[in-house]
Amino acid sequence: AAALNDRGLCRYLRVEFAAALQDYTEAIECQPGFEVPYYNRGLVLYRLGCFDEAMKDFRKVLELNPQFEDAALSLKQAILDKEEKQKRGY
């Protein structure tokens, strides 16, 4: 799971979002209690504007590790951005 997460991070940094999402999802399937791939997948989904899916992943991180501050901040930002998107009508 850690290796898949690391490969996903490399792909994320190369802006290969579809491949990164696949790696993070495989890491989650290998080790469902490992919160980091959920967080990383949430970041990619957020960047793609998939706010509902990103929020679901950030909430899962906080369920697994309530002390994961970056996930809490990312969740708040995704909620705000989703609301802003809805206000603008798209």
Side-chain angles (χ1 to χ4, degrees):
L4 287 164
N5 182 70
D6 291 346
R7 187 172 72 182
L9 181 60
C10 291
R11 289 176 165 175
Y12 172 76
L13 294 172
R14 290 194 311 242
V15 197
E16 297 172 3
F17 292 151
L21 284 173
Q22 185 175 357
D23 284 341
Y24 294 140
T25 299
E26 287 180 31
I28 290 164
E29 289 168 356
C30 286
Q31 192 175 345
F34 184 26
E35 71 270 21
V36 176
Y38 288 101
Y39 175 70
N40 290 334
R41 186 173 70 178
L43 290 177
V44 175
L45 291 166
Y46 173 84
R47 291 271 308 265
L48 294 172
C50 302
F51 298 123
D52 289 331
E53 294 91 340
M55 290 185 292
K56 183 178 175 188
D57 276 350
F58 295 143
R59 286 187 176 108
K60 181 65 176 181
V61 172
L62 294 169
E63 176 187 313
L64 293 169
N65 179 0
Q67 306 306 314
F68 201 123
E69 291 183 28
D70 286 345
L73 292 171
S74 295
L75 176 59
K76 288 178 188 173
Q77 191 61 53
I79 291 168
L80 290 172
D81 289 352
K82 180 183 176 188
E83 289 171 357
E84 185 62 29
K85 184 178 176 182
Q86 289 173 334
K87 282 182 198 172
R88 292 176 186 223
Y90 51 82

